[in-house]
C-alpha cells in the first residue's frame, strides 16, 4: 500500500469521525430541547424563537462556509467549526433566559453551518481523490451518530441537560484536539487542480437551483419523519413507545441504505440509484400512510428512509463538482425544506386528515425520481 493510499484512508476515517460527531451533537440537541424549554421557563412561542435563531445562524454559517471553504482552509474550518459547535452546545445548556438562549442558539446554528459545509466539501475532495463513491458511507456515519446521540439522550433522561451538553461538548472538543494534527494534513484532490470560481463558471445554468430544489424535497421528507411519523402511528392507536419507534425505523432504513449506497452507485451510477430509491420511498410512504395498520405504517416509514438514503449524498457530490458555494447553496435550500416542511404539513393537516397530508413527501419523492437524471448526469466519480 502506497503512502498516498494510507493518507487517503486516514483522511476518510477522519472525515467519518467528523460526520459521526456532528450526528451525535444534533441528535442530543434535538432530543433534550424540551429540557431546555423547561429550564428557561419558555412558552412554545419563545422556544420557536430559539429554534428560529438557530436556523438563521445556520443559514449564515452555511453561506460563510461556502465563501471560505477553499482547499487550503478546510482543516481550519473543520477544527474551528467543531470546537465552536461543541462550545455553543455547552453554552446552550447553561442558559436560563430567553435572551441568552437566543444568542447561544444563533452561535450554535452558525457553527453547525460552517462545519456542515466543511465536512461535505472535504468529503467531496476525498471522494475525488479516491476516484470512486464514498460519500454515502460518510453520510451513513452521520445517521449512525444521530441514532447513537438519540440513544444517549434517552439513556441519560434522568441527568440534567446542562451536564449532558457539557459532557458531549467536552468529548467532541477533546476528540478534535487529539486528531488536530491529522486534520491539518487532510488529504484530498490537489488544490491546484480545483478552482471553485472556475467550477462556478462551468456550472450549467440552473443546475445549482435544481440540485437545491431536490435537496429541499428530500429533507422535507426527513423533517416530516422526525416531527410527524410518531404522531401518525400514534393516531392508529399505537402505544407511545411503538409510535416513537417509527422515526428510529426511518433512521435505521436511512443508515442501512447509506452503508450500501457507495457500492450501488459504483455499479449503477448515482442517477439510477437515486431514481430507484426515490420511487421506492414514494411507494413505501404512500402505502404506509394510507394503510389503517400499525405494522404497515412502521414499514412504510422504514422503507421511506431506505429509499431516500442515497439522495443527499448524491446531490452533495454533484454540487461539489461546482465548488463549495454550490455545496452551501444546496445545503441552505435543503435545510429550508427540513425546517419549513413540518410546519407546512401541520398547516395542511389542520385542513384535511394527516395521512392524506403525508402524501406530500411521497409526491416530492416521486418528483425527485423524475428529475434525478437531469440533475445527476455525469456526477459519479
Amino acid at each position: 500500500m502506497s503512502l498516498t493510499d494510507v493518507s487517503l484512508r486516514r483522511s476518510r476515517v477522519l472525515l467519518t469521525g467528523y460526520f459521526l460527531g456532528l450526528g451525535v451533537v444534533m441528535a442530543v440537541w434535538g432530543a433534550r430541547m424540551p429540557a431546555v424549554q423547561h429550564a428557561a421557563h419558555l412558552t412554545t412561542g419563545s422556544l420557536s424563537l430559539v429554534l428560529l435563531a438557530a436556523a438563521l445562524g445556520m443559514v449564515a454559517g452555511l453561506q460563510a462556509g461556502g465563501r471560505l471553504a477553499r482547499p487550503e482552509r478546510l482543516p481550519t474550518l473543520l477544527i474551528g467549526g467543531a470546537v465552536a459547535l461543541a462550545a455553543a452546545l455547552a453554552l446552550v445548556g447553561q442558559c436560563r433566559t430567553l435572551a441568552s438562549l437566543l444568542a447561544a442558539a444563533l452561535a450554535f446554528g452558525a457553527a453547525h453551518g460552517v462545519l456542515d459545509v466543511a465536512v461535505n466539501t472535504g468529503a467531496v475532495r476525498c471522494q475525488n481523490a479516491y476516484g470512486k463513491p464514498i460519500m454515502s458511507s460518510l453520510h451513513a456515519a452521520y445517521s449512525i451518530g444521530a441514532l447513537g446521540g438519540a440513544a444517549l439522550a434517552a439513556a441519560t433522561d434522568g441527568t440534567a441537560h446542562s451536564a449532558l451538553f457539557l459532557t458531549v461538548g467536552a468529548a467532541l472538543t477533546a476528540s478534535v484536539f487529539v486528531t488536530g494534527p491529522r486534520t491539518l494534513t487532510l488529504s484530498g484532490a490537489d488544490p491546484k487542480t480545483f478552482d471553485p470560481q472556475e467550477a462556478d463558471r462551468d456550472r450549467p445554468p440552473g443546475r445549482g437551483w435544481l440540485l437545491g430544489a431536490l435537496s429541499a424535497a428530500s429533507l422535507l421528507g426527513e423533517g416530516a419523519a422526525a416531527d410527524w411519523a410518531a404522531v401518525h402511528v400514534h393516531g392508529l392507536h399505537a402505544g407511545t413507545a411503538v409510535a416513537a419507534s417509527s422515526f428510529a425505523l426511518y433512521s435505521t432504513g436511512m443508515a442501512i441504505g447509506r452503508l450500501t449506497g457507495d457500492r450501488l452507485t459504483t455499479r449503477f451510477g448515482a442517477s439510477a440509484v437515486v431514481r430507484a430509491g426515490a420511487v421506492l420511498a414514494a411507494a413505501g410512504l404512500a402505502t404506509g400512510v394510507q394503510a389503517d395498520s400499525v405494522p404497515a405504517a412502521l414499514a412504510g416509514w422504514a422503507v421511506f428512509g431506505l429509499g431516500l438514503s442515497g439522495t443527499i449524498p448524491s446531490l452533495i457530490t454533484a454540487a461539489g463538482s461546482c465548488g463549495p458555494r454550490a455545496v452551501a447553496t444546496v445545503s441552505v435550500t435543503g435545510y429550508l425544506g427540513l425546517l419549513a416542511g413540518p410546519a407546512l404539513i401541520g398547516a395542511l393537516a389542520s385542513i384535511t386528515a394527516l395521512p392524506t397530508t403525508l402524501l406530500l413527501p411521497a409526491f416530492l419523492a416521486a418528483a425527485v425520481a423524475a428529475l434525478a437524471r437531469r440533475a445527476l448526469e455525469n456526477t459519479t466519480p
Side-chain angles (χ1 to χ4, degrees):
M1 183 181 296
S2 68
L3 290 176
T4 300
D5 291 337
V6 171
S7 180
L8 281 175
R9 287 181 183 273
R10 287 178 176 174
S11 295
R12 181 176 181 177
V13 170
L14 185 66
L15 288 167
T16 298
Y18 274 97
F19 274 102
L20 186 73
L22 184 56
V24 170
V25 168
M26 296 312 300
V28 168
W29 153 273
R32 298 304 295 271
M33 195 50 58
V36 173
Q37 179 182 15
H38 178 74
H41 307 288
L42 301 181
T43 65
T44 301
S46 296
L47 180 61
S48 297
L49 290 177
V50 172
L51 297 176
L52 177 60
L56 292 175
M58 183 173 61
V59 171
L62 288 167
Q63 295 290 359
R67 291 192 297 271
L68 296 173
R70 297 183 67 86
E72 67 274 11
R73 295 173 181 164
L74 276 180
T76 301
L77 287 179
L78 284 168
I79 293 173
V83 171
L85 184 69
L89 179 68
L91 183 60
V92 167
Q94 307 307 312
C95 293
R96 296 294 182 270
T97 66
L98 176 59
S100 61
L101 274 172
L102 289 173
L106 188 68
F108 181 88
H112 177 201
V114 170
L115 184 58
D116 188 280
V117 173
V119 294
N120 279 297
T121 302
V124 169
R125 292 183 64 239
C126 191
Q127 178 173 255
N128 289 343
Y130 260 89
K132 64 179 182 180
I134 64 169
M135 183 69 75
S136 187
S137 65
L138 292 173
H139 279 252
Y142 177 90
S143 299
I144 293 170
L147 284 172
L152 176 63
T156 58
D157 185 58
T159 302
H161 74 283
S162 56
L164 177 62
F165 284 10
L166 183 61
T167 301
V168 171
L172 177 60
T173 301
S175 299
V176 170
F177 280 116
V178 168
T179 60
R182 288 189 177 180
T183 303
L184 292 173
T185 60
L186 189 69
S187 295
D190 183 352
K192 294 181 180 179
T193 68
F194 182 78
D195 182 350
Q197 294 181 350
E198 187 69 28
D200 285 337
R201 287 194 294 269
D202 292 341
R203 181 173 56 191
R207 186 180 180 194
W209 290 111
L210 177 58
L211 292 171
L214 296 186
S215 176
S218 299
L219 288 180
L220 184 147
E222 183 165 335
D227 289 4
W228 291 105
V231 177
H232 165 239
V233 175
H234 187 65
L236 298 174
H237 309 293
T240 302
V242 173
S245 72
S246 57
F247 183 66
L249 288 171
Y250 166 88
S251 299
T252 300
M254 179 75 69
I256 291 172
R258 287 179 170 174
L259 287 171
T260 59
D262 291 330
R263 291 192 293 274
L264 293 174
T265 301
T266 299
R267 182 171 182 179
F268 300 108
S271 175
V273 170
V274 170
R275 289 202 314 272
V279 169
L280 179 65
L285 183 60
T287 301
V289 299
Q290 291 302 301
D292 190 20
S293 162
V294 171
L298 293 174
W301 286 110
V303 171
F304 187 57
L306 179 66
L308 284 184
S309 61
T311 304
I312 294 300
S314 295
L315 293 174
I316 293 294
T317 294
S321 65
C322 303
R325 291 190 182 184
V327 172
T329 298
V330 170
S331 297
V332 167
T333 52
Y335 279 115
L336 288 176
L338 179 67
L339 295 169
L344 176 60
I345 288 173
L348 293 175
S350 66
I351 301 173
T352 184
L354 179 60
T356 302
T357 302
L358 287 172
L359 290 174
L360 175 61
F363 171 79
L364 290 176
V368 169
L371 296 170
R373 183 189 297 275
R374 178 182 174 188
L376 299 173
E377 58 184 355
N378 302 321
T379 59
T380 302

